[in-house]
Amino acid sequence: MDTLVAQLQRQFRDYTISLYHQGFLDDQFTELKKLQDECSPDFVAEVVSLFFEDCEKLIGNMARALDQTGNVDFNLVGSSVHQLKGSSSSVGAKRVKGLCVTFKECCDSQNFEGCVRCLQQVDIEYKSLKAKLQDLFSLEQQIVQAGGRIPQVDI
Amino acid sequence: MAVGEVMRMEIPAGGDLSVTSPELHVLAVDDSIVDRKVIERLLRISSCKVTTVESGTRALQYLGLDGNTNASDLKDLKVNLIVTDYSMPGLTGYDLLKKIKESSAFREIPVVIMSSENILTRIEQCLKEGAEDFLLKPVKLADVKRIKQLIMRNEAEECKTLSHSNKRKLGEDTDTSSPSSSSSSSSHDDSSSVNDFPSSKRMKSESEQFSSFL
């Protein structure tokens, strides 16, 4: 009979694997996990939290720049996209990073409609990842509260 | 080592040079708060002391190279390594590299450049200007460990050189040439092991060429 801990651990393992397989996360996220230990038990959560704040700030900048109808500074948008691409790459946010690549191309070709579309997609994508990671961290907490250890998941 | 002494190592009287590593103090420069957090952790977990700053200008201020700091403040800093992002607003990592290499007080400090873009001309430009290495982002633990080994080995060789010229203890052929040439020879040695590291982004043949300029 499955204990609660075993059930939670299985859920955690399956969920983690699905996030990688569906392309939400890549191996840089795995690299971040390596940096977490008893001394820094919340490292990953702290970094992703900074990342999501960064997303909000940069997306706000991009939206403002795109809002200057007839006078859009595509360099400014592009520069924010570049920063977002960098930070998404650093945390392993694979889909967000991929969208930034497309977004940058739209900026470089001054494609306004393309930029607006990309902005919407990037906004949706980071929020979706944020929700998923919150679920993942919540599972971790439940495992620990039930007295179990968070399993190492090999992708 | 007088001006520009970047690392004090205890060399026991017995001449044993297997020093229990003193902590490297690394100055990490990056305009991205996410990347600063990550690089700081990568370095701390690799047993380095870390100071992070958000711009090239801040880095120069910290080092006292902005002309505002009293010379007497400099000797407490002891930065052993500078790791900097390339693309930053204002002073780029390349600009920062140049300023450091132009400074008599700090030119011996190894500088490593990080970039999210794998542009050969950029890499060559940085190595030519005296960068110790070039890391492609996202930076991984293996990259940091490799850099640390490289720096520690350079520092140990430098101390060994000084120790040999001071003590004439070992019978082997000692290289008593200047520290800069001994560090370039260890870079040469290292580039052959670079291929063992999949995460290494150093362009081997080009870097060997430019290492001889260092």
Side-chain angles (χ1 to χ4, degrees), chain A residues 21-39:
Chain A
H21 284 190
Q22 289 172 43
F24 287 99
L25 299 173
D26 64 27
D27 66 271
Q28 184 61 16
F29 189 80
T30 317
E31 286 292 317
L32 291 189
K33 297 223 85 171
K34 286 187 199 169
L35 306 179
Q36 186 161 283
D37 58 20
E38 309 78 49
C39 306

Side-chain angles (χ1 to χ4, degrees), chain B residues 75-144:
Chain B
K75 59 176 181 322
D76 295 336
L77 295 175
K78 286 197 213 82
V79 170
N80 306 119
L81 168 64
I82 296 167
V83 177
T84 178
D85 191 24
Y86 184 92
S87 321
M88 296 187 291
L91 222 61
T92 65
Y94 178 71
D95 297 330
L96 179 62
L97 168 67
K98 279 205 297 194
K99 289 224 184 276
I100 288 163
K101 293 305 170 188
E102 281 162 13
S103 145
S104 52
F106 295 107
R107 73 162 66 101
E108 295 299 316
I109 304 182
V111 181
V112 171
I113 309 280
M114 305 180 284
S115 177
S116 55
E117 292 165 299
N118 193 3
I119 298 172
L120 184 55
T121 49
R122 175 180 292 184
I123 297 171
E124 287 177 350
Q125 181 196 45
C126 291
L127 293 176
K128 190 172 177 181
E129 198 61 42
E132 196 71 27
D133 210 325
F134 190 98
L135 297 179
L136 203 54
K137 285 181 162 183
V139 180
K140 299 178 190 317
L141 198 53
D143 296 323
V144 172

